[in-house]
Amino acid sequence: MSHEDVLNPKHMPHDPEKATLEGKNKFLAFWFFLGGETVLFASLFGTYIALNGSTAGENTPEHLFGLELVFLMTMMLLTSSLTSVYAMYHMKNHDFRKMQTWLAITVLLGLAFLGCEIYEFLHYVHEYEFTFGSSAFASAFYTLVGFHGGHVLFGLSWIVALMIRNQKRGLNLYNAPKFYVASLYWHFIDVVWVFIFTVVYLMGKVG
Amino acid sequence: MSNSSHSKPTRQMEYEKKQHKEEMKQQVITFVLMILFTFVAFGMVIMEVNSYFVIPTLIILALVQVVFQLYYFMHMKNKGHNMPAMMMYGGAAVAGLTIITFSSIIWW
């Protein structure tokens, strides 16, 4: 049995993402990475919580933020989290086409989210002259929310790269862990966003 | 011989498909609850509920949503997730300390 045959069995196992040693290792290492990411974002949140009162002028959180756009963005990201769950559901049923379709929907929702975020930042810069260097609050805000936006961009590129690279290969035990780990990353992005919309936007509006 | 080796994986597959469907149903319910929490959180802020009450409630709603995301969407409730749980709880513990340190000593 060649290596290729091992990775493309006649009957796919129950958990294709954890059927090989490499898959198991990827799974563990990725959770280790997510634990580290948690701490990294905590340092940005800690900075933001400490500095969001240092506004150097009238551009306070309460003055700047509009909840309509944030609500829309929250719904997009939350829905994209569900669509990537559907993608993994079809992966476990070994239906590669449907998995690709749901991943494509996830990517579209992620792109829409990113577009809204870029619009939001441009709006702050042009309408309020609220730039990265305006105040300590501005720096902390753009660093935290922008870093999350960077994660969204990276996640999108990652998922698109996987979809294109494996388009003709179909699902096998070599790429199943890759898809699974990318979907974990996508969920983690939504986890961080839950705290961003709560701590930055909602608590900013409450004052 | 050929019959038994053929039917066993098929039956096994059907059983697994059913299990996956059941799990998917739970995940859709989770999603509906998360949407609901989001509506409550935004609704409280828009309707300007008293702020002593609203901030702790917002934080609790966020924590519950994140637990749903981790345990259902990211499958931490399933078997074989002891190490992931350790990583995440370890990360969360250090994250909590980091936030306290940053907001009380470093940037204050």
CSV table of all heavy atoms in Angstrom, one decimal, chain A residues 15 28 31 58 64 78 85 89 91 93 105 114 126 134 136 150 160 163 167 184 187 194 202:
chain,number,residue,atom,x,y,z
A,15,ASP,N,-13.4,10.4,11.8
A,15,ASP,CA,-12.9,11.7,12.0
A,15,ASP,C,-11.7,11.9,11.0
A,15,ASP,O,-10.5,11.7,11.4
A,15,ASP,CB,-12.3,11.9,13.4
A,15,ASP,CG,-13.5,12.2,14.4
A,15,ASP,OD1,-14.4,12.9,13.9
A,15,ASP,OD2,-13.4,11.8,15.5
A,28,LEU,N,-3.6,19.3,17.9
A,28,LEU,CA,-3.1,19.7,19.2
A,28,LEU,C,-2.4,21.0,19.1
A,28,LEU,O,-2.6,21.9,19.9
A,28,LEU,CB,-2.2,18.6,19.7
A,28,LEU,CG,-2.9,17.5,20.5
A,28,LEU,CD1,-1.8,16.5,21.1
A,28,LEU,CD2,-3.8,18.0,21.6
A,31,TRP,N,-4.6,24.1,18.7
A,31,TRP,CA,-5.2,24.5,20.0
A,31,TRP,C,-4.2,25.2,20.9
A,31,TRP,O,-4.5,26.2,21.6
A,31,TRP,CB,-5.9,23.3,20.7
A,31,TRP,CG,-7.2,23.0,20.2
A,31,TRP,CD1,-7.5,22.0,19.3
A,31,TRP,CD2,-8.4,23.7,20.4
A,31,TRP,NE1,-8.9,22.0,19.0
A,31,TRP,CE2,-9.5,23.0,19.7
A,31,TRP,CE3,-8.8,24.8,21.2
A,31,TRP,CZ2,-10.8,23.4,19.8
A,31,TRP,CZ3,-10.1,25.2,21.3
A,31,TRP,CH2,-11.1,24.5,20.5
A,58,GLU,N,-12.7,65.6,21.8
A,58,GLU,CA,-14.1,65.2,21.8
A,58,GLU,C,-14.4,63.9,21.2
A,58,GLU,O,-15.5,63.4,21.2
A,58,GLU,CB,-15.0,66.3,21.2
A,58,GLU,CG,-14.7,66.6,19.7
A,58,GLU,CD,-15.7,67.5,19.1
A,58,GLU,OE1,-16.5,68.0,19.8
A,58,GLU,OE2,-15.6,67.6,17.8
A,64,LEU,N,-18.1,58.6,18.8
A,64,LEU,CA,-17.7,58.0,17.5
A,64,LEU,C,-18.6,56.9,17.0
A,64,LEU,O,-19.1,56.9,15.9
A,64,LEU,CB,-16.3,57.5,17.5
A,64,LEU,CG,-15.1,58.5,17.4
A,64,LEU,CD1,-13.8,57.7,17.7
A,64,LEU,CD2,-15.0,59.0,16.0
A,78,LEU,N,-21.1,36.1,12.8
A,78,LEU,CA,-21.7,35.0,13.5
A,78,LEU,C,-22.3,34.0,12.5
A,78,LEU,O,-22.1,32.8,12.7
A,78,LEU,CB,-22.8,35.6,14.4
A,78,LEU,CG,-23.4,34.7,15.4
A,78,LEU,CD1,-22.3,34.1,16.3
A,78,LEU,CD2,-24.4,35.4,16.3
A,85,VAL,N,-19.3,25.8,10.2
A,85,VAL,CA,-19.8,24.6,10.8
A,85,VAL,C,-20.4,23.7,9.8
A,85,VAL,O,-20.1,22.5,9.8
A,85,VAL,CB,-20.8,24.9,12.0
A,85,VAL,CG1,-21.4,23.6,12.4
A,85,VAL,CG2,-20.0,25.5,13.2
A,89,TYR,N,-19.4,19.9,8.7
A,89,TYR,CA,-20.4,18.9,8.8
A,89,TYR,C,-20.3,18.1,7.5
A,89,TYR,O,-20.3,16.8,7.5
A,89,TYR,CB,-21.8,19.5,8.9
A,89,TYR,CG,-23.0,18.6,8.7
A,89,TYR,CD1,-23.3,17.6,9.5
A,89,TYR,CD2,-23.8,18.9,7.6
A,89,TYR,CE1,-24.4,16.8,9.3
A,89,TYR,CE2,-24.9,18.1,7.4
A,89,TYR,CZ,-25.2,17.0,8.2
A,89,TYR,OH,-26.3,16.2,8.0
A,91,MET,N,-17.7,17.9,5.5
A,91,MET,CA,-16.4,17.2,5.5
A,91,MET,C,-16.5,15.9,6.2
A,91,MET,O,-16.1,14.9,5.7
A,91,MET,CB,-15.4,18.1,6.2
A,91,MET,CG,-14.0,17.5,6.0
A,91,MET,SD,-12.8,18.2,7.1
A,91,MET,CE,-13.1,17.3,8.6
A,93,ASN,N,-19.1,14.1,6.5
A,93,ASN,CA,-19.9,13.2,5.7
A,93,ASN,C,-19.2,12.9,4.4
A,93,ASN,O,-19.8,12.3,3.4
A,93,ASN,CB,-21.3,13.7,5.4
A,93,ASN,CG,-22.1,13.6,6.7
A,93,ASN,OD1,-21.9,12.7,7.6
A,93,ASN,ND2,-23.1,14.4,6.8
A,105,ILE,N,-19.3,30.3,0.9
A,105,ILE,CA,-20.3,31.3,1.5
A,105,ILE,C,-19.6,31.9,2.7
A,105,ILE,O,-19.8,33.1,2.9
A,105,ILE,CB,-21.6,30.5,1.9
A,105,ILE,CG1,-22.3,29.9,0.7
A,105,ILE,CG2,-22.5,31.4,2.7
A,105,ILE,CD1,-23.4,29.0,1.0
A,114,LEU,N,-15.2,42.4,6.3
A,114,LEU,CA,-14.0,43.2,6.1
A,114,LEU,C,-14.2,44.5,5.4
A,114,LEU,O,-13.7,45.6,5.8
A,114,LEU,CB,-12.9,42.4,5.3
A,114,LEU,CG,-11.5,42.6,5.5
A,114,LEU,CD1,-11.1,42.4,7.0
A,114,LEU,CD2,-10.6,41.8,4.7
A,126,HIS,N,-12.1,60.3,7.8
A,126,HIS,CA,-12.5,61.4,7.0
A,126,HIS,C,-13.5,62.3,7.7
A,126,HIS,O,-13.4,63.5,7.6
A,126,HIS,CB,-13.0,60.9,5.7
A,126,HIS,CG,-12.0,60.3,4.8
A,126,HIS,ND1,-10.9,61.0,4.5
A,126,HIS,CD2,-11.9,59.1,4.3
A,126,HIS,CE1,-10.1,60.2,3.7
A,126,HIS,NE2,-10.7,59.0,3.6
A,134,SER,N,-4.2,60.1,16.8
A,134,SER,CA,-5.0,61.2,17.4
A,134,SER,C,-4.9,61.2,19.0
A,134,SER,O,-4.9,62.3,19.6
A,134,SER,CB,-6.5,61.1,17.0
A,134,SER,OG,-6.6,61.3,15.6
A,136,ALA,N,-4.3,58.4,22.7
A,136,ALA,CA,-4.0,57.1,23.2
A,136,ALA,C,-5.2,56.1,23.0
A,136,ALA,O,-5.0,55.0,22.6
A,136,ALA,CB,-3.7,57.1,24.7
A,150,GLY,N,-7.0,42.2,10.7
A,150,GLY,CA,-5.9,41.5,10.0
A,150,GLY,C,-6.1,39.9,10.1
A,150,GLY,O,-5.8,39.2,9.2
A,160,VAL,N,-9.3,30.5,1.2
A,160,VAL,CA,-9.3,30.5,-0.2
A,160,VAL,C,-8.2,29.7,-0.8
A,160,VAL,O,-8.3,28.9,-1.8
A,160,VAL,CB,-9.3,32.0,-0.7
A,160,VAL,CG1,-9.0,32.0,-2.2
A,160,VAL,CG2,-10.6,32.7,-0.4
A,163,MET,N,-9.0,26.1,-0.6
A,163,MET,CA,-10.1,25.7,-1.5
A,163,MET,C,-9.5,25.5,-2.9
A,163,MET,O,-9.8,24.6,-3.7
A,163,MET,CB,-11.2,26.8,-1.6
A,163,MET,CG,-12.1,26.7,-0.3
A,163,MET,SD,-13.1,28.2,-0.3
A,163,MET,CE,-14.2,27.8,-1.7
A,167,GLN,N,-8.9,21.9,-4.9
A,167,GLN,CA,-10.1,21.8,-5.8
A,167,GLN,C,-10.2,20.5,-6.6
A,167,GLN,O,-11.2,19.9,-6.6
A,167,GLN,CB,-10.1,23.0,-6.7
A,167,GLN,CG,-11.4,23.3,-7.4
A,167,GLN,CD,-11.3,24.4,-8.3
A,167,GLN,OE1,-10.2,24.9,-8.6
A,167,GLN,NE2,-12.5,24.9,-8.7
A,184,LEU,N,-11.3,26.0,12.6
A,184,LEU,CA,-11.1,26.4,14.0
A,184,LEU,C,-10.7,27.8,14.1
A,184,LEU,O,-11.1,28.6,15.0
A,184,LEU,CB,-10.1,25.5,14.7
A,184,LEU,CG,-10.5,24.1,15.1
A,184,LEU,CD1,-9.4,23.4,15.8
A,184,LEU,CD2,-11.7,24.1,16.0
A,187,HIS,N,-13.5,30.2,13.6
A,187,HIS,CA,-14.4,30.3,14.8
A,187,HIS,C,-13.7,31.2,15.9
A,187,HIS,O,-14.4,31.9,16.5
A,187,HIS,CB,-14.6,28.9,15.4
A,187,HIS,CG,-15.5,28.1,14.6
A,187,HIS,ND1,-16.7,28.5,14.1
A,187,HIS,CD2,-15.4,26.8,14.2
A,187,HIS,CE1,-17.3,27.5,13.4
A,187,HIS,NE2,-16.5,26.5,13.4
A,194,VAL,N,-16.7,38.7,19.5
A,194,VAL,CA,-17.8,38.8,20.5
A,194,VAL,C,-17.3,39.7,21.6
A,194,VAL,O,-18.0,40.6,22.1
A,194,VAL,CB,-18.1,37.4,21.1
A,194,VAL,CG1,-18.9,37.5,22.4
A,194,VAL,CG2,-18.8,36.5,20.1
A,202,LEU,N,-20.3,48.2,22.6
A,202,LEU,CA,-21.4,48.3,23.5
A,202,LEU,C,-21.0,49.0,24.8
A,202,LEU,O,-21.7,49.9,25.2
A,202,LEU,CB,-22.0,46.9,23.8
A,202,LEU,CG,-22.7,46.2,22.6
A,202,LEU,CD1,-23.3,44.9,23.0
A,202,LEU,CD2,-23.8,47.1,22.0
